[in-house]
Amino acid sequence: MNPAISVQNVDMVFPAPGGAITALQDVSFDIAEAEFVSLIGPSGCGKSTALRLIADIHQPTGGSVTVAGQSPGQSRIQHLVNLMFQEPVLLPWLNIYQNVSLSIEITKAKDHRDPAELLSFVGLKGREKDYPGQLSGGMQQRVALARALATNPRILLMDEPFAALDEFTRDRMGNWLLSIWERSRKTVVFVTHSIPEALYLSDRVLIMDANPGRIRADVRVELPRPRDESMREEISFFEQLKAIRSQMPKSLYVEEELNGG
Ligand SMILES: Nc1ncnc2c1ncn2[C@@H]1O[C@H](COP(=O)(O)OP(=O)(O)OP(=O)(O)O)[C@@H](O)[C@H]1O
Ligand SMILES: [Mg+2]
């Protein structure tokens, strides 16, 4: 079976007034169908760029990207992929039911899901007629998640989707996401700056480095599924946290370097 996503020897060079920027250099990874993979690394290491290449927003300047065994462009046309951002980006003049429905209307996705069912799925049953301004940040982000699922994509790309939320809400959103992922078995690529979040959610964590952006380590997470909150307190969780931290580029730990640590 084809991997859901295959990135092979990808270079991404952006022209810039001060000289070209190499956002990604010789980046290779495969992601299997229904796998949950996190990308983690310092600001500017090319995490968002990698998602944009998979979503067909950019085309690589070298190497190749395939999505479901075909080009990212073909996969985009077939609505196989959806990208979710840090901010929910909802339309304030539409209620949340209409916000979710709109993506189905725009894409004309044939294999779409029922917006009411999705809003119930993300715990917003009874709030369909509310406007985004009437909801908390976490609720708005759940609407964005429902919208991302509305066109029934096989692959969900999430760019720091919970970064703007407080830690408690972020943990709850992570549990939401896992319960949805366990039921729907989508392929998820999840960008985060939080090592515990990456560990708790993922099957694999790809650690990246900057200047130029590249993959530094590919770590398989050894935690059973389904996951629950108690795992965050287990020794194996802390051990793996430590293992990932030890492989993170030093540029993330400026204070430690200053302190001679
Ligand atoms: N459209 C663009 N044009 C020019 N340069 C770009 C463009 N998009 C990204 N870059 C550059 O590519 C590099 C990687 O950017 P990217 O947004 O992928 O980083 P990131 O890992 O997502 O960072 P962050 O954690 O801050 O979101 C940066 O140096 C950025 O300035
Ligand atoms: Mg980014």
Side-chain angles (χ1 to χ4, degrees):
M1 198 165 76
N2 283 324
I5 298 166
S6 182
V7 172
Q8 293 304 321
N9 308 106
V10 159
D11 297 323
M12 185 72 212
V13 181
F14 289 108
I21 294 170
T22 304
L24 295 171
Q25 188 173 68
D26 197 19
V27 167
S28 300
F29 58 83
D30 279 350
I31 296 177
E33 188 86 46
E35 202 175 16
F36 197 125
V37 175
S38 287
L39 297 183
I40 193 160
S43 181
C45 71
K47 304 179 294 294
S48 298
T49 301
L51 293 192
R52 290 194 194 111
L53 291 171
I54 297 165
D56 193 43
I57 295 170
H58 297 314
Q59 286 70 46
T61 49
S64 70
V65 179
T66 54
V67 178
Q70 54 192 2
S71 73
Q74 286 166 311
S75 291
R76 180 174 50 77
I77 292 165
Q78 295 165 22
H79 314 295
L80 297 184
V81 182
N82 237 335
L83 178 59
M84 189 178 156
F85 304 96
Q86 185 171 344
E87 301 298 333
V89 234
L90 303 172
L91 298 176
W93 59 88
L94 296 180
N95 68 36
I96 63 173
Y97 180 93
Q98 292 165 328
N99 264 281
V100 176
S101 304
L102 185 66
S103 70
I104 299 170
E105 286 163 29
I106 290 172
T107 57
K108 300 187 175 67
K110 290 191 196 78
D111 185 27
H112 63 82
R113 306 271 310 265
D114 173 20
E117 198 181 293
L118 277 171
L119 285 169
S120 153
F121 201 48
V122 298
L124 290 169
K125 194 175 172 61
R127 305 295 296 262
E128 296 84 357
K129 292 197 173 126
D130 283 11
Y131 287 83
Q134 296 172 286
L135 302 181
S136 73
M139 288 172 176
Q140 290 185 32
Q141 202 55 320
R142 277 189 263 155
V143 177
L145 182 56
R147 182 184 52 192
L149 296 169
T151 53
N152 206 10
R154 270 162 62 186
I155 299 171
L156 202 50
L157 308 174
M158 308 182 83
D159 198 348
E160 301 190 50
F162 310 143
L165 306 173
D166 65 86
E167 196 181 338
F168 178 71
T169 312
R170 170 194 275 228
D171 288 352
R172 288 193 50 188
M173 291 293 292
N175 288 324
W176 270 112
L177 178 59
L178 280 189
S179 70
I180 289 167
W181 175 78
E182 264 142 25
R183 279 180 279 174
S184 64
R185 304 311 275 182
K186 294 189 186 305
T187 306
V188 179
V189 190
F190 189 92
V191 170
T192 177
H193 279 111
S194 163
I195 302 174
E197 185 178 46
L199 181 59
Y200 183 71
L201 298 177
S202 313
D203 297 315
R204 265 163 71 210
V205 179
L206 299 181
I207 303 174
M208 296 181 69
D209 208 345
N211 302 315
R214 58 200 185 276
I215 305 282
R216 190 181 161 99
D218 183 342
V219 180
R220 184 156 291 281
V221 176
E222 305 291 347
L223 292 173
R225 301 237 188 226
R227 305 218 172 131
D228 64 61
E229 285 296 326
S230 67
M231 276 179 203
R232 295 185 197 269
E233 308 299 331
E234 282 175 17
I235 291 172
S236 69
F237 188 84
F238 288 109
E239 282 172 352
Q240 291 185 67
L241 209 55
K242 208 169 141 192
I244 295 176
R245 268 199 192 115
S246 72
Q247 301 202 59
M248 293 295 284
K250 284 285 174 274
S251 52
L252 263 190
Y253 294 104
V254 178
E255 304 97 315
E256 286 178 24
E257 277 171 14
L258 288 176
N259 295 332

